[in-house]
Amino acid sequence: MQKPSWKNRRRYILASFVIGAFMLIASALAALTGAMTDISDLVTGGVALITLILTSYIFGAVWEDKSIYNEKESSDG
C-alpha cells in the first residue's frame, strides 16, 4: 500500500497560512490607520486559524501515516 500524497496537505497548510497572515496584516493596517476599535478579534482569529488548522491537519496526517505503517507491519505476519 502506497502512502498518501502530501500534495493536498501542502495546499491546506499554505491556504491557512495565507488567510491567517492576511488577518494579521489587516489588523496591523487597521491599528495604524485607526479605522477599527476592536482589532484584537482579527489578531485572535488569525492566530487561531493558523494554529488550529495546522495542528489538526498535521496531527491527522501523522495519525494516518502511523496507522498505515502499523497495518503494513501487522499484515507481514
Side-chain angles (χ1 to χ4, degrees):
M1 178 177 229
Q2 196 175 26
K3 285 189 177 183
S5 171
W6 272 82
K7 184 178 179 181
N8 290 333
R9 295 175 189 159
R10 285 189 198 110
R11 286 182 186 164
Y12 285 120
I13 289 169
L14 178 64
S16 65
F17 269 125
V18 168
I19 293 170
F22 177 75
M23 291 174 77
L24 293 174
I25 291 170
S27 65
L29 290 175
L32 292 174
T33 61
M36 295 175 54
T37 57
D38 194 17
I39 301 166
S40 64
D41 287 343
L42 279 173
V43 174
T44 304
V47 172
L49 179 69
I50 291 171
T51 304
L52 292 173
I53 289 176
L54 293 180
T55 302
S56 63
Y57 206 78
I58 291 173
F59 174 77
V62 170
W63 184 276
E64 181 183 26
D65 288 345
K66 185 179 181 218
S67 67
I68 288 172
Y69 179 74
N70 285 342
E71 225 175 71
K72 284 172 67 174
E73 207 173 71
S74 65
S75 67
D76 287 341

